[in-house]
Amino acid sequence: MRSNKTYHSVIVVLLISILLVVSGYAYVSAQDEGEGGLASQSYLGLEADTSSVYDVPGGPGFVMLSPYQFRPLSPADQCSYSGNTIVNQSPGVCTMVAGVTLPHGANITKLTLYVFDGNPSKDIILNFARGDGAGGFAVQAGINTGIVGVMPAWDAISTTQFLNTQVDNSNYSYMVYAIVPFQSWLDMGFSNVRIDYEYATAIPILSK
């Protein structure tokens, strides 16, 4: 009987420990997303498609962001430009951010990052987020180059997974930010970012 009681006690302790760990992880994830700074990882975009940089399907509406529309999040972020490419030669991780203007009422269908990533141990993260008038923000979609593995040549990585797809300019502003690993300029960088959208209702056709 004593051995059975001991066995049950061990099982109960293990279950309680697992619950505490899971609860703690959920709390940390919630705290990390949008409180006190930009989220440091991509919470969405666990699936991604790749295609040639010259042949990315989508639309019918597009917003293409140039790398020169991005700016450092803070003076500590020391990314630099190499032609039409953002790279990071600095000893620290660099975050680059850009505002996005989308048509009110449109439905966002795709987020695409134009990138090369020949580093097997480091990844570029791109997050698409919206911010409210009270200073808060929430990540709506994300891409992590590690999902598709090493890509020494230029490629386009896309995701169609979004938390909220409808553009609401009356209550939110929109932005993208890229997190580039330290000292990765030799084999990693990104250029353009594209956001595709469509309208839910078709324009009525006028008849005679």
Side-chain angles (χ1 to χ4, degrees):
M1 281 298 286
R2 181 179 294 274
S3 61
N4 286 338
K5 288 182 179 179
T6 302
Y7 175 78
H8 287 303
S9 298
V10 170
I11 293 297
V12 169
V13 170
L14 285 174
L15 288 174
I16 292 174
S17 300
I18 292 171
L19 286 173
L20 288 174
V21 169
V22 171
S23 300
Y25 174 77
Y27 175 76
V28 169
S29 297
Q31 290 295 102
D32 189 38
E33 187 170 352
E35 293 190 13
L38 299 181
S40 60
Q41 59 181 315
S42 183
Y43 291 89
L44 305 174
L46 298 180
E47 296 179 2
D49 298 318
T50 61
S51 56
S52 165
V53 292
Y54 301 108
D55 186 24
V56 182
F62 308 94
V63 172
M64 183 73 87
L65 298 176
S66 160
Y68 292 95
Q69 291 177 258
F70 285 80
R71 63 177 180 81
L73 179 64
S74 74
D77 295 288
Q78 297 294 317
C79 275
S80 56
Y81 293 95
S82 176
N84 199 51
T85 306
I86 291 177
V87 295
N88 188 3
Q89 303 182 51
S90 74
V93 174
C94 173
T95 301
M96 300 289 284
V97 60
V100 179
T101 300
L102 294 161
H104 180 69
N107 286 322
I108 305 169
T109 57
K110 182 182 288 188
L111 174 68
T112 301
L113 174 66
Y114 295 77
V115 63
F116 73 95
D117 180 357
N119 194 311
S121 60
K122 297 178 181 179
D123 305 312
I124 292 178
I125 293 169
L126 176 73
N127 282 332
F128 171 75
R130 71 180 189 182
D132 58 37
F137 80 97
V139 173
Q140 302 297 303
I143 292 173
N144 187 320
T145 59
I147 295 173
V148 296
V150 176
M151 299 181 306
W154 280 99
D155 220 331
I157 307 177
S158 301
T159 182
T160 57
Q161 299 179 17
F162 290 86
L163 197 61
N164 294 282
T165 58
Q166 189 170 52
V167 179
D168 180 6
N169 289 329
S170 64
N171 293 298
Y172 300 99
S173 60
Y174 295 86
M175 68 174 182
V176 290
Y177 62 95
I179 303 170
V180 186
F182 63 93
Q183 295 180 338
S184 57
W185 78 99
L186 292 176
D187 50 19
M188 180 180 294
F190 77 94
S191 59
N192 299 341
V193 172
R194 194 178 93 182
I195 302 169
D196 296 16
Y197 63 87
E198 63 183 9
Y199 288 98
T201 56
I203 299 175
I205 300 175
L206 298 177
S207 59
K208 294 182 180 179

